[in-house]
Amino acid sequence: MSQTVMPSYGRADIAFETGDGPYLYASDGRKFLDFGSGVAVLSLGHKHPHLVEALIAQAGKVWHTSNLYNIPEQQRLADRLVANSFAETVFFCNSGAESVEASIKLIRKYHSANGNPERYRIISFAGSFHGRTLATISAGASDAHRAGFGPAVDGFDHVAFGNMNEVRAAITGETAGIMIEPVQGEGGIRPADPRFLMDLRALCDEEGLLLMFDEVQTGMGRTGKLWAYEWSGVKPDVMSSAKGLGGGFPIGACLATAEAAKGITAGTHGSTFGGNPLATAVANAVLDVMLEPGFLPHVVEMSKLLNAELKAVAQRHPSVIEEVRGAGLLLGMKCVVPNAELAAKAFEHGLLTVLAGDNVMRFLPPLIIDEAHVSEAIAILEECCGELEE
Ligand SMILES: *Cc1c(COP(=O)(O)O)cnc(C)c1O
């Protein structure tokens, strides 16, 4: 294979031609149950009719105008995100890393606007992932992601996930904020203790720090509420969103309180594509579906079922699976065998999953799955575990 595409990814040797709901069809005729959702992106599955309609309708009007002009669909999306979250204001971009990057800049600018430019450092956590730009690999925990890319961006202090003593000890006169995933995704599907989030909130209030939640993976219904923070009742000052926000169309957002965003004035931050008419038309269509009264309860119901069934598989096969953990339809199986081995078996049997750190296999089905899809996935897993035990 010639490398006209840079070989930055380890890819499975398959290409998909069409998708439909939670299914993908490969060009060689194989059919797959997609419990990876393009890494938690396809919140409504493939080819959702309402999203297809919204995309086509907007494509026939105007695709892109830039942020030099008003964008009605963007304004409407911001109004709806604000109406359905802690936030009072939204900045739009195109990806998760950019939404985290915007959050970092906003946190620094807040303290600068308050006359404290020396407060720029952000506390983040072991096991975290925040994206692949220079600032976000510096914020994230992975040494491998930083290796060979020169000096890390200064201003990030890493402490143990869940350890209040370490957080307190890391605070200095230069600390600006704390950044955390309510459920660590790439790092291995580790939910934060709600008590820990409450303690972080109290500490931030005490010390004048901004609390930022990275909900790029946990947001937009993934855990059964629109935002994962709703489970703990702890509201952040700043939050990043992307992945599920556009249901497959690239879009990201940084949501904040008006106070936290007070340093972001005209000309201080920007994006050429951010929140363009096509992206925001599709994201509005995603919200149309998710804000329907029965949608999130269905996610909770399916997550309980999948969680219980995965746990039952784990119990039957302790030599293959150690434990099941996560929240909503963001579930991980910590494996005894190498996670890649189990995932490869599942792939052979027509089930797509995603790997995560800590030897975890991730289940991120579209939020529209029903009981039959859960049964189908469980039957495949059962077979895979049986084969691995032989
Ligand atoms: C995926 C992810 C990101 C990065 O998103 P990209 O769209 O790949 O830039 C950042 N934070 C979290 C928590 C993520 O899961």
Side-chain angles (χ1 to χ4, degrees):
M1 183 83 102
S2 96
Q3 297 190 332
T4 53
V5 174
M6 281 192 203
S8 65
Y9 304 100
R11 299 175 192 268
D13 189 16
I14 192 161
F16 299 106
E17 220 162 60
T18 56
D20 190 11
Y23 293 103
L24 270 174
Y25 300 86
S27 38
D28 62 7
R30 278 185 287 169
K31 177 184 177 182
F32 290 85
L33 180 59
D34 184 5
F35 269 34
S37 300
V39 195
V41 164
L42 294 142
S43 38
L44 304 183
H46 298 275
K47 216 166 62 188
H48 191 287
H50 186 61
L51 270 56
V52 173
E53 192 187 9
L55 181 75
I56 290 173
Q58 188 60 46
K61 293 187 208 163
V62 62
W63 292 19
H64 178 83
T65 56
S66 87
N67 285 299
L68 297 173
Y69 312 103
N70 291 332
I71 301 172
E73 284 291 331
Q74 181 186 117
Q75 182 62 55
R76 180 161 173 262
L77 180 61
D79 291 347
R80 297 170 87 195
L81 289 173
V82 162
N84 290 283
S85 75
F86 74 96
E88 293 163 312
T89 184
V90 186
F91 174 84
F92 290 104
C93 50
N94 315 286
S95 67
E98 281 174 281
S99 69
V100 175
E101 186 92 18
S103 304
I104 294 167
K105 288 182 69 178
L106 181 151
I107 291 170
R108 290 184 173 196
K109 198 82 164 130
Y110 165 79
H111 290 286
S112 168
N114 278 343
N116 302 308
E118 75 286 357
R119 297 182 75 165
Y120 70 97
R121 304 194 67 85
I122 294 174
I123 295 172
S124 65
F125 293 91
S128 67
F129 177 80
H130 297 293
R132 296 294 204 122
T133 64
L134 269 178
T136 56
I137 58 174
S138 304
S142 171
D143 291 334
H145 289 175
R146 280 191 289 272
F149 293 111
V153 171
D154 181 36
F156 298 97
D157 299 305
H158 297 98
V159 301
F161 188 64
N163 189 323
M164 266 325 276
N165 291 335
E166 283 197 23
V167 176
R168 271 196 206 93
I171 293 177
T172 70
E174 294 185 338
T175 306
I178 298 175
M179 177 189 294
I180 188 168
E181 295 160 85
V183 181
Q184 288 192 336
E186 309 295 313
I189 314 296
R190 279 189 218 89
D193 190 328
R195 184 74 244 169
F196 183 59
L197 298 178
M198 283 178 220
D199 290 347
L200 288 179
R201 179 70 271 173
L203 185 64
C204 284
D205 292 343
E206 217 169 280
E207 300 280 344
L209 309 177
L210 294 183
L211 180 60
M212 184 271 191
F213 286 167
D214 183 349
E215 292 231 28
V216 167
Q217 190 155 168
T218 55
M220 289 304 284
R222 180 53 54 187
T223 69
K225 293 202 186 277
L226 195 59
W227 310 108
Y229 76 77
E230 295 173 52
W231 291 108
S232 68
V234 175
K235 291 179 185 163
D237 303 295
V238 189
M239 180 174 79
S240 54
S241 173
K243 291 199 167 91
L245 181 59
F249 200 98
I251 180 169
C254 167
L255 293 78
T257 62
E259 172 66 10
K262 73 190 204 185
I264 304 299
T265 52
T268 53
H269 192 45
S271 164
T272 299
F273 290 121
N276 89 358
L278 269 186
T280 48
V282 178
N284 270 311
V286 172
L287 272 185
D288 290 343
V289 177
M290 284 194 188
L291 296 178
E292 284 286 317
F295 185 86
L296 293 170
H298 174 78
V299 177
V300 172
E301 199 184 320
M302 286 305 108
S303 79
K304 282 184 180 154
L305 179 66
L306 180 60
N307 197 334
E309 295 281 336
L310 288 176
K311 281 187 169 137
V313 175
Q315 248 162 25
R316 287 193 291 272
H317 303 282
S319 66
V320 182
I321 301 152
E322 190 179 312
E323 73 163 333
V324 176
R325 64 197 189 201
L329 288 175
L330 174 59
L331 294 170
M333 260 183 169
K334 185 164 164 62
C335 299
V336 177
V337 299
N339 58 354
E341 224 169 88
L342 184 55
K345 270 259 172 268
F347 178 85
E348 265 174 51
H349 288 276
L351 175 67
L352 301 180
T353 59
V354 185
L355 300 180
D358 198 27
N359 204 32
V360 164
M361 177 169 163
R362 243 185 303 180
F363 296 83
L364 305 158
L367 308 181
I368 46 100
I369 53 163
D370 62 28
E371 287 87 349
H373 303 123
V374 173
S375 305
E376 192 181 339
I378 294 298
I380 291 173
L381 264 182
E382 190 64 46
E383 212 173 324
C384 295
C385 289
E387 286 176 21
L388 283 172
E389 278 167 345
E390 272 164 24

